[in-house]
Amino acid sequence: MQHPMRITRTQLADGRELLYFDDTPEFVSGERTRTLVDERELPAATSASELRQDPLTGAWYTYAAHRMNRTFLPPANENPLAPTRPGQLPTEIPADDYDVVVFQNRFPSLAQAESQAGLGADSGPATGTAKPAFVPSKPGHGRCEVVCFTPDSQVSFRDLPYTRARTIVEAWAHRTKELSALPGIEYVYPFENRGEEIGVTLQHPHGQIYAYPFVPERAAQIAARAQEFREAQGGSGTGDAETGPDLFDHILECEHADGQRVVVQGEYFTAFVPVAAKWPVEIMLVPHRAVPNFAELHDAEKHELTQMYLDILGRMDRFFDGVERTPYIASWNQAPVNAPEDGRLHLQLFSLMRSPGRMKFLAGSESGQGAWISDTTPERIAARFREVAENEGTENQLTEKEVTQHDG
Amino acid sequence: MQHPMRITRTQLADGRELLYFDDTPEFVSGERTRTLVDERELPAATSASELRQDPLTGAWYTYAAHRMNRTFLPPANENPLAPTRPGQLPTEIPADDYDVVVFQNRFPSLAQAESQAGLGADSGPATGTAKPAFVPSKPGHGRCEVVCFTPDSQVSFRDLPYTRARTIVEAWAHRTKELSALPGIEYVYPFENRGEEIGVTLQHPHGQIYAYPFVPERAAQIAARAQEFREAQGGSGTGDAETGPDLFDHILECEHADGQRVVVQGEYFTAFVPVAAKWPVEIMLVPHRAVPNFAELHDAEKHELTQMYLDILGRMDRFFDGVERTPYIASWNQAPVNAPEDGRLHLQLFSLMRSPGRMKFLAGSESGQGAWISDTTPERIAARFREVAENEGTENQLTEKEVTQHDG
């Protein structure tokens, strides 16, 4: 079950790091890449982000004013995520072919300081800004990486063969481990925005990884709920996760027992529509074991995760009749770096599409108060996800659990 | 300073309540309306909403599946918010003229039960749904009202004369008081969505009021921060708001002392860009006194509030060169009904527009983790709001505070 893979580490012209993850011998890019050099003349990558904590809500926001001046995206024939083909302009990727590539974003919202001094400090001054003293703030030291899923700009994640998808899972695990070890990093977040409807202007299939120097709002809420749950169940409340009652175990037990919202139940993971889904289309993929992040998955889990992710991405694209590619956000939640017991790796895959061609707008109730109003129900969403199971019996298909369907 | 006003209460054909707020003698609608009857044949308004609390975040979401079947909006020449003109089809408003009108939404996300039984109960069964037992849930009993700002469908709130705007403030106060007194209501939320860019399909100038049977996420966060602040300052933490240290007092003090983000400082209110603004354009209007909601404002405060709100709405529409009407959400935060010391009336007026014609998309970091990334700074937003002050010296203009401008 171990996945054959070779990792080759290199640098771009401005010093940013780039890693090739090659999965198929003869490994396509790695060997040759050792000698490939990014010959562009690029100014040194800079970032002067600042973080501030909202005194009214406790959430941390990032101010990346330097990004206002970022270059506009190049025309399609200068796709920066394509391999650099002979005779064409160099892209962000020097190799002329690759399997999966990860590199540091050129215009990052969060970037490492040249020296690590001050990283993680609560009130270090950010260079050049007139900083308000009365709220917690700190420099926006972190890291933003781009993950290219394939050299082929015409396909989507769900079109990838198992091997390539598995390589991406391995890359997420690798990056999670490395980024978690950087000083000051509190949370590592892999995600994919897919579709013009949600503002994606670069069609090449890719995702991103943000390494935040704080625990973002959702993860902080989950951590608080996980602690509360342990305390309410008589646990110590201080992290004895191996033995104490666990919020995610409880949720999985309840979803399995109820069954109405379960879409696919595997050996290591269950895909279900959460009982309080907030988006018009939403599905979660949760491991049965208390795994904090990608780096802690064992091989059999990565294998099933890859299969199930491809399966539910396929269902996502069959969700709406007449819509070939449902716009989505694939949000990979992990536990906080320094509180592995206060979270669990899980996917929240969701779409803002309400019906073919019609997007949900986040108006007053949602944007102003965080009070989501849905005009469907989690049970209806789950029924639809079960309906659109792959029928052709490919190797990616898992046995669908027999569940009773109750429509509300 | 007291505002002359006459309120006339009536009912629509399906039993929904409608109130006229007439501000100018001879009062235009009220007197005649007593005899005006809504003669449409409307089916009884129904609502079968259900609320569930997200086990991972603690937020309450509303499932209003019955709204999927709501009638589509009528063509512009059948504007349902216009007065009913002789010889034309009847609208939602039977009178042939009005100043300000408030009525219950015909397709509400939240509606009162016919009997109040069960309202506010934590786990009462919602009719007809197969309800999951393992998360807190309850029927979606509450109330959704529509507020028509003027009979003229061509104008916007910022175009209203002082008198009309003041009437709307009075209507918000009146509705806040009445809705807060309904059994089970935990939070009253007046807001306005303005602009096609954020999904508004009905051009007639109007706002809405939601009366929720729970404290929504933002208000709950503010309440928790207000309690923490009192405790950290040595207060009792249990509501002695009259004497204890107050989070909003602290924020106002700091903003006044810093001055960089103050836009207009009045006698009773200050308009400033919050130190941790999350939206591309955002301004807050906060009373100097610890006022929990509109109903508790005294006349002089309502007077200044009306003037300052018209002022900042004007600035909002001058914010972007070449954009005549900036799309916005006007979000009127109040304190929870049952915890007046844990919040304060304040306006959060914001736009998702980043630059002329370009909207901010809420992608992975924002939608998935609640980690907002801004490509401007609160200080730049404030500088722009000061720049676009009204120059014609109208009666609505307040003296702009002289502040030092530091750009980050």
Side-chain angles (χ1 to χ4, degrees):
Chain A
M1 298 279 253
Q2 218 193 331
H3 187 61
M5 196 173 69
R6 189 176 62 188
I7 300 170
T8 309
R9 207 182 277 267
T10 179
Q11 274 196 342
L12 295 173
D14 52 6
R16 285 175 294 138
E17 206 170 13
L18 180 147
L19 293 97
Y20 295 98
F21 294 82
D22 290 351
D23 55 39
T24 314
E26 297 292 326
F27 301 109
V28 295
S29 59
E31 194 62 25
R32 281 169 289 164
T33 303
R34 282 175 214 264
T35 60
L36 280 181
V37 174
D38 179 13
E39 289 174 333
R40 295 172 296 172
E41 287 189 17
L42 295 179
T46 58
S47 168
S49 292
E50 186 196 338
L51 309 176
R52 296 183 188 176
Q53 190 180 23
D54 186 341
L56 287 176
T57 66
W60 284 91
Y61 305 132
T62 302
Y63 301 95
H66 59 284
R67 298 187 81 220
M68 259 198 303
N69 305 318
R70 66 187 182 272
T71 49
F72 282 102
L73 288 166
N77 64 351
E78 291 172 25
N79 172 8
L81 306 187
T84 294
R85 312 284 190 196
Q88 294 193 355
L89 284 176
T91 70
E92 287 282 69
I93 297 134
D96 65 359
D97 197 7
Y98 64 81
D99 292 340
V100 171
V101 140
V102 178
F103 61 93
Q104 287 180 270
N105 195 314
R106 189 163 160 199
F107 301 99
S109 304
L110 302 160
Q112 285 166 284
E114 276 186 54
S115 125
Q116 291 297 335
L119 183 55
D122 254 9
S123 305
T127 328
T129 59
K131 174 178 295 269
F134 71 91
V135 291
S137 65
K138 51 186 171 184
H141 290 168
R143 187 147 152 157
C144 294
E145 298 187 339
V146 176
V147 183
C148 298
F149 297 148
T150 162
D152 181 355
S153 65
Q154 300 307 308
V155 301
S156 198
F157 197 121
R158 69 118 206 261
D159 303 314
L160 300 177
Y162 167 84
T163 305
R164 185 61 36 81
R166 173 72 186 268
T167 304
I168 295 162
V169 170
E170 298 286 346
W172 285 332
H174 180 278
R175 301 315 302 147
T176 295
K177 190 168 179 186
E178 276 206 0
L179 295 173
S180 296
L182 289 179
I185 296 304
E186 299 279 348
Y187 196 81
V188 178
Y189 176 51
F191 64 96
E192 180 192 357
N193 302 323
R194 207 271 297 259
E196 284 176 49
E197 296 91 338
I198 57 165
V200 178
T201 49
L202 200 52
Q203 290 307 315
H204 193 104
H206 70 288
Q208 298 180 67
I209 304 174
Y210 275 20
Y212 300 103
F214 59 91
V215 179
E217 190 171 36
R218 177 180 163 87
Q221 288 171 336
I222 291 175
R225 302 285 294 181
Q227 288 164 15
E228 268 172 37
F229 187 82
R230 279 200 302 272
E231 281 160 26
Q233 302 295 307
S236 69
T238 54
D240 187 5
E242 298 302 299
T243 56
D246 181 283
L247 177 60
F248 285 90
D249 284 345
H250 173 68
I251 290 172
L252 281 170
E253 256 170 53
C254 294
E255 291 293 359
H256 289 155
D258 185 317
Q260 288 185 83
R261 289 166 302 280
V262 173
V263 177
V264 189
Q265 188 172 342
E267 187 177 349
Y268 303 106
F269 285 84
T270 296
F272 61 94
V273 177
V275 64
K278 65 194 268 190
W279 305 97
V281 180
E282 178 174 348
I283 187 167
M284 250 182 213
L285 185 57
V286 179
H288 299 166
R289 195 166 63 89
V291 186
N293 59 50
F294 277 112
E296 302 297 324
L297 290 171
H298 56 56
D299 279 332
E301 286 168 335
K302 286 182 196 159
H303 176 69
E304 188 179 277
L305 174 62
T306 304
Q307 289 184 310
M308 286 180 74
Y309 187 41
L310 286 169
D311 177 23
I312 65 175
L313 284 178
R315 293 173 196 247
M316 185 57 116
D317 278 357
R318 292 186 294 273
F319 197 92
F320 293 110
D321 287 328
V323 176
E324 229 174 280
R325 307 226 160 164
T326 308
Y328 67 70
I329 294 173
S331 175
W332 290 98
N333 294 251
Q334 308 201 80
V337 169
N338 297 311
E341 73 284 5
D342 286 346
R344 183 179 296 195
L345 172 68
H346 65 278
L347 168 71
Q348 192 189 18
L349 175 68
F350 58 94
S351 179
L352 279 81
M353 190 166 268
R354 302 169 60 175
S355 56
R358 226 167 127 227
M359 302 296 286
K360 178 176 180 65
F361 286 97
L362 302 182
S365 190
E366 288 89 359
S367 289
Q369 285 297 342
W372 253 249
I373 315 266
S374 171
D375 57 14
T376 182
T377 65
E379 290 72 28
R380 287 186 195 197
I381 300 171
R384 180 62 180 159
F385 267 118
R386 287 194 295 257
E387 238 173 60
V388 294
E390 175 78 67
N391 292 318
E392 288 104 57
T394 69
E395 67 161 318
N396 291 329
Q397 199 192 354
L398 297 186
T399 312
E400 190 182 342
K401 196 194 172 199
E402 287 301 321
V403 289
T404 317
Q405 299 193 13
H406 311 266
D407 274 358
Chain B
M1 296 279 252
Q2 217 194 333
H3 187 62
M5 197 173 68
R6 189 178 61 189
I7 300 170
T8 309
R9 207 183 278 266
T10 178
Q11 274 196 342
L12 295 174
D14 53 6
R16 286 176 293 139
E17 205 170 14
L18 181 146
L19 294 96
Y20 295 97
F21 293 83
D22 289 351
D23 54 39
T24 315
E26 297 293 324
F27 301 108
V28 295
S29 60
E31 194 62 25
R32 281 169 289 162
T33 301
R34 281 177 214 261
T35 59
L36 279 181
V37 175
D38 179 11
E39 289 174 333
R40 295 173 296 171
E41 288 189 17
L42 295 179
T46 57
S47 168
S49 293
E50 185 195 340
L51 309 175
R52 296 182 189 178
Q53 189 180 23
D54 186 341
L56 287 176
T57 67
W60 284 92
Y61 306 131
T62 303
Y63 301 95
H66 60 283
R67 297 188 81 221
M68 261 199 302
N69 305 319
R70 66 188 182 270
T71 49
F72 282 102
L73 288 165
N77 64 352
E78 292 173 24
N79 173 7
L81 306 187
T84 293
R85 311 286 190 195
Q88 293 193 356
L89 283 176
T91 70
E92 287 282 70
I93 297 135
D96 65 358
D97 197 5
Y98 64 82
D99 291 340
V100 170
V101 139
V102 178
F103 62 93
Q104 287 180 270
N105 195 315
R106 188 162 161 201
F107 302 99
S109 305
L110 302 160
Q112 285 165 284
E114 275 187 55
S115 128
Q116 291 296 334
L119 183 55
D122 254 9
S123 304
T127 328
T129 59
K131 175 179 294 273
F134 72 91
V135 290
S137 64
K138 51 187 173 184
H141 291 166
R143 187 146 152 158
C144 294
E145 298 188 339
V146 176
V147 183
C148 297
F149 297 148
T150 162
D152 182 354
S153 65
Q154 300 306 308
V155 302
S156 199
F157 196 120
R158 70 120 207 260
D159 304 315
L160 300 177
Y162 168 84
T163 304
R164 184 61 36 82
R166 173 72 186 268
T167 304
I168 296 162
V169 170
E170 297 287 347
W172 284 331
H174 180 277
R175 300 315 301 146
T176 295
K177 190 168 179 185
E178 276 206 0
L179 295 173
S180 297
L182 289 178
I185 296 304
E186 300 278 349
Y187 196 81
V188 178
Y189 177 51
F191 64 97
E192 180 193 358
N193 302 323
R194 206 272 296 258
E196 284 177 48
E197 296 91 337
I198 56 164
V200 179
T201 49
L202 200 53
Q203 291 306 316
H204 194 103
H206 71 287
Q208 299 180 66
I209 304 174
Y210 275 20
Y212 300 103
F214 58 91
V215 178
E217 190 171 37
R218 177 181 163 86
Q221 287 172 336
I222 292 175
R225 302 284 296 181
Q227 287 164 15
E228 269 172 37
F229 187 83
R230 279 200 302 271
E231 281 160 26
Q233 303 294 307
S236 70
T238 52
D240 187 5
E242 298 304 299
T243 57
D246 182 284
L247 177 60
F248 285 90
D249 284 345
H250 173 69
I251 290 172
L252 281 170
E253 256 170 54
C254 294
E255 290 293 0
H256 289 156
D258 185 318
Q260 290 185 83
R261 289 166 302 281
V262 173
V263 177
V264 188
Q265 188 173 342
E267 189 177 348
Y268 302 106
F269 285 85
T270 296
F272 61 94
V273 177
V275 64
K278 66 193 269 191
W279 305 97
V281 180
E282 177 174 347
I283 188 167
M284 251 181 211
L285 186 56
V286 179
H288 299 165
R289 194 166 64 89
V291 186
N293 59 50
F294 276 112
E296 302 296 323
L297 291 171
H298 56 56
D299 278 333
E301 286 168 334
K302 286 182 196 158
H303 176 70
E304 189 178 277
L305 174 62
T306 303
Q307 289 184 309
M308 286 181 75
Y309 186 42
L310 285 168
D311 177 22
I312 64 174
L313 284 179
R315 293 173 196 247
M316 185 56 115
D317 278 356
R318 292 186 295 272
F319 198 91
F320 293 109
D321 288 328
V323 176
E324 229 174 278
R325 307 227 160 162
T326 307
Y328 67 70
I329 294 173
S331 174
W332 290 97
N333 294 250
Q334 308 201 79
V337 168
N338 297 311
E341 72 284 5
D342 285 346
R344 184 179 296 195
L345 172 68
H346 66 278
L347 168 71
Q348 191 188 18
L349 176 68
F350 58 94
S351 179
L352 278 81
M353 190 167 268
R354 303 168 59 173
S355 57
R358 227 169 125 226
M359 301 297 286
K360 179 175 179 65
F361 285 97
L362 302 182
S365 191
E366 289 88 359
S367 289
Q369 285 297 341
W372 253 248
I373 315 266
S374 171
D375 58 13
T376 182
T377 65
E379 290 72 27
R380 288 186 194 197
I381 300 170
R384 181 61 181 161
F385 267 118
R386 286 194 296 257
E387 240 174 58
V388 295
E390 176 78 67
N391 292 317
E392 290 104 56
T394 70
E395 66 162 318
N396 292 330
Q397 198 192 355
L398 298 188
T399 312
E400 190 182 345
K401 195 195 174 199
E402 286 301 322
V403 288
T404 317
Q405 300 194 12
H406 310 267
D407 273 358

